[in-house]
DNA sequence: CTAGGGTTAG
């Protein structure tokens, strides 16, 4: 799988070093960072390109954005063409970033700090420009900026996320010739951890077995591997490594047990009641084993179980467990509370959920946007516009917890369906002002709803807008719009749209497959 | 970067 992915993504290598003369650096706005003023350095004047670049970079930093998913997760079918196009877009962004980086370096008395190099190396790694990234590492070394383990950590992470695990391991081995310090167990564990987090447990296990005698082993390392096998849904293998650890005389701790517990709970299906009961039984077994070893389950352990109850829509069991943990002297966190709130809301028990939020605030735990989103989802289901708006205004006024992009998306979806377009506009503007910006989901949601209402022209406007913001529409979005425009004889609008797509060299040919993705969570 | 938990879109 990994090799076929690599083939799909092996784009022609280009030297991204754009000559500085190609840049149009207007001197309109000063670059306002306090650090520059403090260090008495000349202020930088970014070009409009640089502004756009930073915006796009922000967009693509979003872990929920599909762009990175194909590079981070294996075993998912994505249209290679779509990925290719997206990568080209990202590539352009990193080109601008690199030009800016070089330009800044050429300013008198200005010198990038290692952090700047790290950002640049990270951005380049994202678009698989590893040759240029390596150049920067060498440049750091030449400038006596001392590439550190942080530098190699970033490079390694990007290599792994691109599926280039062998190169990542080589980079790890090369590290010692750059970094004065000898590679320690912590750093080796980071390599294993990153491999596991991106799903390459087999590679991690291989590397672990090869070098465990050199670095030595500890609980944390085994925990990483147990996590990895759980992540790819191989609980048996997770169990095997767990036992291996115990056999070696290494005592598992709370974290190890929680990783195992999460492995049992997270992926298990709860649909027929028996499966739910079996999962709970297995979870209880872990709890018992913990206590036998004299390890008290902590907040995380309980939060994992609360999540299962919440997924299974068992409000009573949720509340019981919550009370149980409190009686054992364990203070619930936002995470624990949010699971219960979600459960109560999804079971229609809004008042109880509200009461629980009051309780958590009383206990000094502040709700997050996600906590409130549970309420918004329920209000959306009930079409209760008034309560939704009340809560929304309350959130914005108290600014204790600002709405998240998800909050805006839920509300936009709700009010478009209710045909309250003036409110949609208000929320949309708020979202833009918040800086989290409309994301791919926001646009997709809005455009699809507008299409449903046959508001083709408006839908078209947003379609063009999202492209201009550097977001690549999904194939379905394009098709829906295309059909609508042709059917309602809006050929002029259609031609305008087509021109836009040509300008941006975006194509939605028949070779495109529908794709599904699940975001990788960092 | 440095072993673990929640919210979410279709």
């Amino acid at each position: 799988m990994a090799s076929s992915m690599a083939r799909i993504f092996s784009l022609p290598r280009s030297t991204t070093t754009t000559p500085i003369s190609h840049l149009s650096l207007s001197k309109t706005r000063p670059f306002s960072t306090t650090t520059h003023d403090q260090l008495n350095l000349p202020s930088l004047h970014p070009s409009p390109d640089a502004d756009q670049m930073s915006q796009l970079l922000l967009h693509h930093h979003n872990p929920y954005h599909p762009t990175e998913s194909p590079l981070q997760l294996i075993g998912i079918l994505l249209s290679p063409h779509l990925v290719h196009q997206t990568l080209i877009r990202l590539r352009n962004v990193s080109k601008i970033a690199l030009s800016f980086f070089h330009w800044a370096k050429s300013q008198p008395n200005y010198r990038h700090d290692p952090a700047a190099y790290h950002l640049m190396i990270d951005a380049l790694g994202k678009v698989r420009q590893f040759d240029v990234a390596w150049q920067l590492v060498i440049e750091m070394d030449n400038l006596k900026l001392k590439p550190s383990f942080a530098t190699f950590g970033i490079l390694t992470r990007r290599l792994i996320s691109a599926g280039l695990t062998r190169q990542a391991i080589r980079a790890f081995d090369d590290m010692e010739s750059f970094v004065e310090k000898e590679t320690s167990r912590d750093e080796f564990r980071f390599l294993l951890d990153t491999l596991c987090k991106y799903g390459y447990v087999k590679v991690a296990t291989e590397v672990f077995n090869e070098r465990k005698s050199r670095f030595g082993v500890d609980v944390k390392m085994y925990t990483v591997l147990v996590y990895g096998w759980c992540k790819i849904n191989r609980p048996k293998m997770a169990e095997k490594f767990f036992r291996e650890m115990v056999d070696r005389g290494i005592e598992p701790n709370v974290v190890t047990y929680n990783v195992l517990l999460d492995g049992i709970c997270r992926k298990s299906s709860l649909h027929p009641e028996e499966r739910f009961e079996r999962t709970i039984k297995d979870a209880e077994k872990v709890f018992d084993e913990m206590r036998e070893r004299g390890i008290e389950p902590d907040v995380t352990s309980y939060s994992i179980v609360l999540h299962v109850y919440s997924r299974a829509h068992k409000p009573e069991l949720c509340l019981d467990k919550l009370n149980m943990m409190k009686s054992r002297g364990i203070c619930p966190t936002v995470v624990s509370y949010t699971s219960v709130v979600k459960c109560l809301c999804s079971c229609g028990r809004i008042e109880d959920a509200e009461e629980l939020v009051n309780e958590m605030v009383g206990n000094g735990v502040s709700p997050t946007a996600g906590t409130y989103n549970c309420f918004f989802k329920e209000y959306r289901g009930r079409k209760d516009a008034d309560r939704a708006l009340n809560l929304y205004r309350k959130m914005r006024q108290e600014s204790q917890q600002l709405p998240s992009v998800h909050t805006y998306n839920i509300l936009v979806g709700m009010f478009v369906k209710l045909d309250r377009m003036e409110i949609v506009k208000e929320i949309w503007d708020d979202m833009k002002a918040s800086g989290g910006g409309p994301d791919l989901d926001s646009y997709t949601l809005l455009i699809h709803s507008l299409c449903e209402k046959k508001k083709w022209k408006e839908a078209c406007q947003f379609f063009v807008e999202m492209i201009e913001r550097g977001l690549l529409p999904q194939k379905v979005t394009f098709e829906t719009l295309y059909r609508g425009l042709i059917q309602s004889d809006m050929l002029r609008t259609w031609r305008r749209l087509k021109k836009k797509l040509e300008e941006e060299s975006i194509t939605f040919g028949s070779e495109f497959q529908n794709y599904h993705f699940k975001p990788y969570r960092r």
Side-chain angles (χ1 to χ4, degrees):
Chain A
M1 195 60 198
S3 70
S4 77
M5 292 289 282
R7 225 180 306 118
I8 290 165
F9 298 118
S10 63
L11 302 167
R13 288 194 165 200
S14 66
T15 39
T16 325
T17 12
T18 311
I20 288 149
S21 56
H22 284 193
L23 280 171
S24 57
L25 295 159
S26 63
K27 305 203 170 185
T28 44
R29 270 161 290 165
F31 197 63
S32 58
T33 54
T34 42
T35 40
H36 282 205
D37 297 332
Q38 282 158 9
L39 297 171
N40 215 5
L41 294 168
S43 52
L44 305 176
H45 304 278
S47 65
D49 279 353
D51 272 0
Q52 206 191 358
M53 168 211 85
S54 54
Q55 258 192 21
L56 285 171
L57 279 182
L58 274 178
H59 265 304
H60 294 295
H61 254 299
N62 182 352
Y64 293 101
H65 194 281
T67 307
E68 288 200 339
S69 309
L71 305 176
Q72 290 174 333
L73 274 181
I74 45 162
I76 288 174
L77 196 66
L78 252 153
S79 159
H81 301 270
L82 199 55
V83 174
H84 189 97
Q85 277 183 27
T86 313
L87 273 178
I88 287 171
R89 290 177 153 279
L90 277 173
R91 200 179 260 279
N92 290 335
V93 174
S94 79
K95 233 176 185 171
I96 299 166
L98 190 63
S99 305
F100 186 73
F101 185 82
H102 284 316
W103 173 79
K105 208 165 53 184
S106 72
Q107 293 302 103
N109 304 325
Y110 185 79
R111 196 173 184 223
H112 285 310
D113 57 1
Y117 274 91
H118 290 173
L119 270 174
M120 202 58 241
I121 290 167
D122 196 44
L124 288 165
K126 206 184 262 187
V127 289
R128 303 168 59 94
Q129 298 269 317
F130 292 111
D131 44 351
V132 189
W134 267 111
Q135 279 173 33
L136 291 188
V137 175
I138 291 161
E139 191 178 295
M140 278 178 89
D141 197 42
N142 292 338
L143 293 173
K144 305 275 175 282
L145 283 173
K146 297 192 177 165
S148 56
F149 181 66
T151 320
F152 281 86
I154 290 161
L155 193 61
T156 307
R157 199 168 69 85
R158 283 299 174 196
L159 282 166
I160 292 170
S161 82
L164 305 169
T165 52
R166 298 293 152 198
Q167 287 190 41
I169 296 163
R170 221 176 302 144
F172 176 81
D173 289 336
D174 285 348
M175 187 165 62
E176 280 194 328
S177 57
F178 285 93
V179 183
E180 282 151 26
K181 221 176 65 193
E182 209 169 286
T183 309
S184 72
R185 193 188 292 173
D186 285 349
E187 287 138 12
F188 181 55
R189 191 179 54 231
F190 171 74
L191 177 70
L192 294 180
D193 186 40
T194 312
L195 284 167
C196 287
K197 284 207 169 93
Y198 286 93
Y200 301 101
V201 211
K202 282 180 193 159
V203 184
T205 305
E206 213 177 281
V207 179
F208 171 73
N209 286 331
E210 256 169 47
R211 313 185 189 193
K212 60 184 166 193
S213 53
R214 187 186 147 194
F215 291 106
V217 292
D218 57 16
V219 220
K220 290 186 183 182
M221 237 178 247
Y222 271 105
T223 307
V224 164
L225 289 172
V226 171
Y227 175 90
W229 288 108
C230 286
K231 190 181 163 60
I232 62 162
N233 210 8
R234 296 276 299 274
K236 286 255 166 64
M237 282 302 279
E239 190 92 23
K240 188 190 155 240
F241 276 91
F242 187 85
R243 296 297 157 208
E244 185 186 309
M245 177 182 74
V246 176
D247 291 345
R248 279 172 169 263
I250 299 168
E251 281 284 308
N253 58 27
V254 227
V255 183
T256 324
Y257 274 111
N258 284 342
V259 166
L260 206 58
L261 191 64
D262 192 48
I264 291 167
C265 295
R266 180 186 288 275
K267 301 245 173 163
S268 68
S269 72
L270 308 171
H271 205 315
E273 188 69 15
E274 304 88 62
R275 286 199 187 150
F276 162 72
E277 277 164 15
R278 202 190 329 151
T279 305
I280 291 299
K281 225 180 192 170
D282 289 346
E284 290 298 339
K285 240 190 272 169
V286 178
F287 271 78
D288 291 341
E289 200 185 308
M290 284 169 87
R291 293 215 179 82
E292 274 168 32
R293 278 189 190 272
I295 298 165
E296 260 316 296
D298 67 356
V299 228
T300 307
S301 329
Y302 282 99
S303 294
I304 292 165
V305 179
L306 282 176
H307 184 210
V308 180
Y309 285 141
S310 171
R311 278 207 297 143
H313 300 289
K314 308 275 186 197
E316 286 311 322
L317 291 172
C318 252
L319 290 168
D320 284 351
K321 216 35 165 203
L322 190 68
N323 285 328
M324 188 201 275
M325 65 188 281
K326 281 189 282 199
S327 70
R328 286 179 186 267
I330 296 165
C331 291
T333 62
V334 225
V335 179
S336 344
Y337 275 120
T338 303
S339 274
V340 184
V341 167
K342 188 196 157 211
C343 187
L344 290 170
C345 281
S346 69
C347 294
R349 293 170 59 173
I350 293 262
E351 291 77 20
D352 294 341
E354 278 166 352
E355 205 177 291
L356 194 63
V357 171
N358 289 333
E359 184 199 304
M360 66 188 279
V361 172
N363 289 342
V365 181
S366 6
T368 62
T371 317
Y372 290 119
N373 287 347
C374 305
F375 289 94
F376 285 120
K377 271 196 80 176
E378 182 60 17
Y379 291 143
R380 184 182 58 185
R382 297 180 179 190
K383 302 194 199 320
D384 193 340
D386 292 339
R387 282 180 210 276
L389 277 178
N390 272 340
L391 183 58
Y392 177 64
R393 306 231 192 275
K394 202 181 123 200
M395 274 177 90
R396 291 186 59 85
Q397 272 165 24
E398 292 178 6
S399 82
Q400 186 79 280
Q401 184 51 62
L402 290 168
S404 65
V405 183
H406 296 307
T407 316
Y408 293 117
N409 286 348
I410 295 168
L411 290 170
V412 166
M414 174 174 180
F415 287 107
V416 171
K417 276 228 163 60
L418 296 174
D419 214 15
R420 303 268 299 265
M421 296 312 283
E422 58 325 322
I423 299 175
V424 172
K425 198 186 172 309
E426 185 197 324
I427 294 166
W428 192 265
D429 290 342
D430 288 347
M431 168 156 55
K432 277 190 173 166
S434 78
D439 62 358
L440 182 73
D441 289 333
S442 325
Y443 277 108
T444 308
L445 189 78
L446 185 63
I447 294 169
H448 286 206
S449 308
L450 288 169
C451 286
E452 244 170 66
K453 295 184 183 302
K454 303 204 184 301
K455 295 182 179 172
W456 306 113
K457 219 167 178 165
E458 282 178 86
C460 224
Q461 262 172 14
F462 284 109
F463 190 82
V464 171
E465 189 185 301
M466 75 183 283
I467 291 170
E468 278 169 353
R469 289 183 138 233
L471 296 168
L472 200 61
Q474 291 177 16
K475 189 199 171 195
V476 253
T477 312
F478 169 75
E479 283 176 345
T480 316
L481 206 52
Y482 169 76
R483 271 200 305 271
L485 288 171
I486 296 295
Q487 274 168 16
S488 45
D489 256 354
M490 294 175 68
L491 286 172
R492 264 181 55 201
T493 317
W494 161 242
R495 276 194 215 107
R496 241 197 340 261
L497 186 70
K498 218 171 93 184
K499 199 171 148 236
K500 181 77 200 172
L501 292 176
E502 275 160 17
E503 275 170 22
E504 304 272 345
S505 46
I506 294 175
T507 52
F508 292 94
S510 55
E511 74 273 21
F512 282 82
Q513 299 155 15
N514 285 325
Y515 64 93
H516 304 279
F517 69 87
K518 280 227 178 279
Y520 170 77
R521 290 186 45 224
R522 264 181 270 241

